[in-house]
Coordinates of all heavy atoms in Angstrom, one line a residue:
D1 N -5.9 -87.2 -5.6 CA -7.4 -87.4 -5.9 C -7.8 -88.6 -5.3 O -6.9 -89.4 -4.7 CB -7.6 -87.4 -7.3 CG -7.0 -88.6 -8.1 OD1 -6.6 -89.5 -7.4 OD2 -6.7 -88.5 -9.3
S2 N -9.2 -88.9 -5.4 CA -9.6 -90.0 -4.5 C -10.0 -91.1 -5.4 O -10.8 -92.1 -5.1 CB -10.8 -89.6 -3.8 OG -11.9 -89.0 -4.5
T3 N -9.7 -91.2 -6.8 CA -10.1 -92.2 -7.7 C -9.2 -93.4 -7.4 O -8.0 -93.2 -7.1 CB -10.1 -91.8 -9.3 OG1 -8.8 -91.3 -9.4 CG2 -11.2 -90.7 -9.4
V4 N -9.7 -94.6 -7.7 CA -8.9 -95.8 -7.6 C -8.0 -95.9 -8.9 O -8.5 -95.9 -9.9 CB -9.7 -97.1 -7.4 CG1 -8.9 -98.4 -7.3 CG2 -10.6 -96.9 -6.2
K5 N -6.7 -96.1 -8.6 CA -5.7 -96.2 -9.6 C -4.9 -97.5 -9.4 O -4.3 -97.6 -8.4 CB -5.0 -95.0 -9.8 CG -5.6 -93.7 -10.3 CD -4.7 -92.6 -10.3 CE -5.4 -91.3 -10.7 NZ -4.6 -90.1 -10.8
T6 N -4.7 -98.3 -10.3 CA -3.8 -99.4 -10.2 C -2.9 -99.5 -11.3 O -3.3 -99.4 -12.5 CB -4.6 -100.7 -10.1 OG1 -5.6 -100.7 -9.0 CG2 -3.7 -102.1 -9.8
S7 N -1.6 -99.6 -11.0 CA -0.7 -99.7 -12.1 C 0.5 -100.6 -11.8 O 0.7 -101.1 -10.6 CB -0.2 -98.2 -12.4 OG 0.6 -97.8 -11.4
S8 N 1.2 -101.0 -12.8 CA 2.4 -101.8 -12.7 C 3.5 -101.5 -13.5 O 3.2 -100.9 -14.6 CB 1.9 -103.4 -12.7 OG 1.5 -103.6 -14.0
F9 N 4.6 -101.9 -13.3 CA 5.9 -101.8 -14.2 C 6.9 -102.9 -13.8 O 7.0 -103.4 -12.8 CB 6.3 -100.4 -14.1 CG 7.0 -100.0 -12.8 CD1 8.4 -100.2 -12.7 CD2 6.3 -99.4 -11.8 CE1 9.0 -99.7 -11.6 CE2 6.9 -99.0 -10.6 CZ 8.3 -99.1 -10.6
N10 N 7.8 -103.1 -14.8 CA 8.9 -104.0 -14.6 C 10.0 -103.2 -14.3 O 10.4 -102.2 -15.1 CB 9.0 -104.8 -15.9 CG 7.9 -105.7 -16.2 OD1 7.2 -106.2 -15.4 ND2 7.7 -105.9 -17.5
A11 N 10.7 -103.5 -13.3 CA 11.9 -102.7 -12.9 C 13.2 -103.4 -13.5 O 13.3 -104.5 -14.0 CB 12.1 -102.7 -11.4
S12 N 14.2 -102.5 -13.7 CA 15.5 -103.1 -14.4 C 16.6 -102.8 -13.3 O 16.6 -102.0 -12.6 CB 15.9 -102.0 -15.6 OG 14.8 -102.3 -16.5
V13 N 17.5 -103.7 -13.4 CA 18.8 -103.6 -12.5 C 19.5 -102.4 -12.7 O 19.7 -101.9 -13.8 CB 19.6 -104.9 -12.8 CG1 21.0 -104.8 -12.1 CG2 18.9 -106.1 -12.4
G14 N 20.1 -101.8 -11.6 CA 20.9 -100.7 -11.5 C 20.1 -99.3 -11.7 O 20.8 -98.3 -11.9
K15 N 18.8 -99.4 -11.5 CA 18.0 -98.1 -11.7 C 17.5 -97.6 -10.3 O 17.6 -98.3 -9.4 CB 16.8 -98.4 -12.6 CG 17.2 -99.0 -14.0 CD 17.7 -97.8 -14.9 CE 18.0 -98.3 -16.3 NZ 18.6 -97.3 -17.2
Y16 N 17.3 -96.4 -10.4 CA 16.6 -95.7 -9.3 C 15.3 -95.2 -9.6 O 15.2 -94.5 -10.6 CB 17.6 -94.6 -8.8 CG 17.1 -93.8 -7.5 CD1 17.6 -94.2 -6.2 CD2 16.1 -92.8 -7.6 CE1 17.2 -93.5 -5.2 CE2 15.8 -92.3 -6.3 CZ 16.3 -92.6 -5.2 OH 15.8 -91.9 -4.0
Y17 N 14.2 -95.7 -9.1 CA 12.8 -95.4 -9.3 C 12.2 -94.4 -8.3 O 12.5 -94.7 -7.1 CB 12.0 -96.6 -9.5 CG 12.4 -97.4 -10.5 CD1 13.2 -98.5 -10.6 CD2 11.8 -97.2 -11.9 CE1 13.7 -99.3 -11.6 CE2 12.2 -98.0 -12.9 CZ 13.2 -99.0 -12.7 OH 13.5 -99.8 -13.8
V18 N 11.5 -93.4 -8.6 CA 10.7 -92.6 -7.9 C 9.2 -93.1 -8.0 O 8.8 -92.9 -9.1 CB 10.9 -91.1 -8.0 CG1 10.0 -90.4 -7.2 CG2 12.4 -90.7 -7.8
V19 N 8.6 -93.7 -6.9 CA 7.2 -94.1 -7.2 C 6.3 -93.5 -6.3 O 6.4 -93.5 -5.1 CB 7.1 -95.6 -6.9 CG1 5.7 -96.3 -7.1 CG2 8.2 -96.4 -7.7
N20 N 5.3 -92.8 -6.8 CA 4.3 -92.1 -6.0 C 2.9 -92.8 -6.2 O 2.4 -93.0 -7.3 CB 4.1 -90.6 -6.5 CG 5.3 -89.8 -6.3 OD1 5.7 -89.7 -5.2 ND2 5.8 -89.2 -7.3
V21 N 2.5 -93.4 -5.2 CA 1.2 -94.2 -5.1 C 0.1 -93.4 -4.8 O 0.0 -92.7 -3.7 CB 1.3 -95.4 -4.2 CG1 0.1 -96.2 -4.3 CG2 2.6 -96.2 -4.4
P22 N -0.9 -93.2 -5.7 CA -1.9 -92.2 -5.3 C -2.9 -92.9 -4.2 O -2.8 -94.0 -3.8 CB -2.8 -92.2 -6.7 CG -2.6 -93.5 -7.3 CD -1.0 -93.9 -7.0
N23 N -3.6 -91.8 -3.7 CA -4.6 -92.3 -2.7 C -5.6 -93.3 -3.2 O -6.0 -93.2 -4.4 CB -5.5 -91.1 -2.3 CG -4.6 -90.0 -1.5 OD1 -3.6 -90.3 -1.0 ND2 -5.1 -88.7 -1.6
N24 N -5.8 -94.3 -2.4 CA -6.7 -95.5 -2.8 C -6.2 -96.2 -4.0 O -7.0 -96.5 -5.0 CB -8.3 -95.0 -2.9 CG -8.6 -94.3 -1.7 OD1 -8.6 -94.9 -0.6 ND2 -9.3 -93.2 -1.7
G25 N -4.9 -96.3 -4.2 CA -4.3 -96.9 -5.3 C -3.3 -98.0 -4.9 O -2.8 -98.0 -3.8
S26 N -2.8 -98.7 -5.9 CA -1.8 -99.6 -5.7 C -0.8 -99.8 -6.8 O -1.4 -99.5 -7.9 CB -2.2 -101.1 -5.3 OG -3.0 -101.7 -6.4
V27 N 0.3 -100.1 -6.5 CA 1.4 -100.2 -7.7 C 2.0 -101.6 -7.4 O 2.4 -101.9 -6.4 CB 2.4 -99.1 -7.6 CG1 3.6 -99.4 -8.5 CG2 1.8 -97.8 -7.9
T28 N 2.1 -102.4 -8.5 CA 2.9 -103.6 -8.5 C 4.1 -103.5 -9.2 O 4.1 -103.1 -10.5 CB 2.0 -104.8 -9.1 OG1 0.8 -104.8 -8.3 CG2 2.7 -106.1 -9.0

Side-chain angles (χ1 to χ4, degrees):
D1 66 18
S2 61
T3 59
V4 174
K5 295 179 181 176
T6 304
S7 60
S8 62
F9 67 93
N10 295 328
S12 297
V13 170
K15 300 288 186 183
Y16 186 94
Y17 293 93
V18 176
V19 184
N20 293 309
V21 183
N23 294 337
N24 301 312
S26 64
V27 172
T28 299

